[in-house]
Amino acid sequence: MPRPISARIHLSALRHNYAVAREHASPAKVWAVVKANAYGHGLEHALTALEDADGLALVEVDGALRLRELGWTKPLFLLEGFFHTADLPLIQQHRIDVAVHCSEQITLLEQASLSSEPIQVHLKVNGGMNRLGFRPEQVAAAYTRLSALVQVRVVNLMMHFANADDEFNSRLPVAEQCRQFELAQASLGDVTLGVSLSNSAVNLLHTSIHDGWARAGIMLYGGSPSKASADSFDLRPAMTLQSELIAVQEIKAGESIGYGSRFVADKPMRIGVVACGYADGYPRHAVDGTPLLINGVRAPLVGRVSMDMITVDITDINDARVGALVTLWGQGLPIDEVAHFCGTIGYELMCAVAPRVRLIVGE
Ligand SMILES: *Cc1c(COP(=O)(O)O)cnc(C)c1O
């Protein structure tokens, strides 16, 4: 028998959440973003749930090829484009769309010897986030170079928002990024390209932004892109990380627990030991009080997270014995709430689930 920890993947939640994204985006189409092994949920499982999606988007070239191997024939999109010229023939052969975000990529396209079957390119605008993309005043020149190539067809202008989750951000408000995007569009004169703008936060919070192809990531997996709860957006958790108690300790007042003796009991306590640690992807920086569910009842983490174990206060949960079911996050315990106690976001927790945790598919 394997160690008791597993991550249950809820295919019906993935389907439901994609439908929510589509409803918000309508009439725009929706790329289901499946990078990072579908945010830790397993690329193949995501594919099973999302077979009705308009398209799948990711950043890993090998992942894109794997999706073709698994039979995905609809649009595929590499959000950061290609990294090496050597990737281009396969990208072309398998009809994979690419973002082009820098002039070095255009140079590689110019130098590549490819057949004339065009690669669909999404030209990326840097709207002030200053990671990837051409500044608005550079967009026309990039477009001119790309449209001179027979092996390329520019189909979309895309941009990514820095602060769509934060209406009070005054450094780079959403409206300012929209203005930058409009400058880029205007610089192309009569040329009209499709538009791809929305991540989950835009999809859920900025309904006035009209998109052609939204890009939904975290919301598909039932995580919230903002401070509001996933539940308030009608999103359902697509993963439940669960394990079991493998030991119970009765401790006295004044005794401590685990490495560094971080937690000291001020009364007699019952402590449950869970088969889950940072080598499973549970964050080591989880503070005392981080919630878990023991047989469905909330209980606080106490003591430092170890590599293979965490410890939890089960003093008030009478039926918590060795073998009791423990939920780390997911159904009944929002991942965003756990992330909050760990000073991070749900995205990081789900992406960090370690390879040694079995993914079990369910509805
Ligand atoms: C990851 C990614 C997304 C999805 O973002 P979420 O916040 O998870 O919805 C959208 N667009 C691009 C370019 C991305 O890299």
Side-chain angles (χ1 to χ4, degrees), residues 33 35 39 59 79 124 131 158 160 198-201 215-219 225 347:
V33 179
K35 62 190 176 189
Y39 290 47
V59 299
L79 294 161
K124 182 141 188 179
R131 298 187 312 182
M158 67 182 291
H160 197 68
S198 314
N199 57 7
S200 297
R215 308 182 303 265
I218 192 70
M219 65 183 296
Y347 293 74

Side-chain angles (χ1 to χ4, degrees), residues 157-171:
L157 265 191
M158 67 182 291
M159 187 178 70
H160 197 68
F161 285 91
N163 299 309
D165 59 330
D166 177 8
E167 62 178 311
F168 300 111
N169 192 294
S170 56
R171 248 180 233 283

Side-chain angles (χ1 to χ4, degrees), residues 68-96:
R68 283 287 184 247
E69 241 171 63
L70 291 166
W72 179 257
T73 55
K74 287 191 274 181
L76 262 182
F77 178 21
L78 289 169
L79 294 161
E80 296 178 344
F82 53 95
F83 306 97
H84 310 284
T85 325
D87 296 332
L88 283 169
L90 281 173
I91 284 171
Q92 187 173 46
Q93 183 191 334
H94 291 282
R95 295 171 294 102
I96 300 169

Side-chain angles (χ1 to χ4, degrees), residues 31 50 53 57 63 65 79 119 163 180 208-209 242 249 265 275 292 295 337 347 362:
W31 293 109
L50 297 170
L65 296 172
L79 294 161
I119 298 177
N163 299 309
Q180 295 296 316
S208 62
I209 292 179
Q242 59 188 42
Q249 302 292 340
L292 294 87
N295 286 340
E337 200 179 325
Y347 293 74

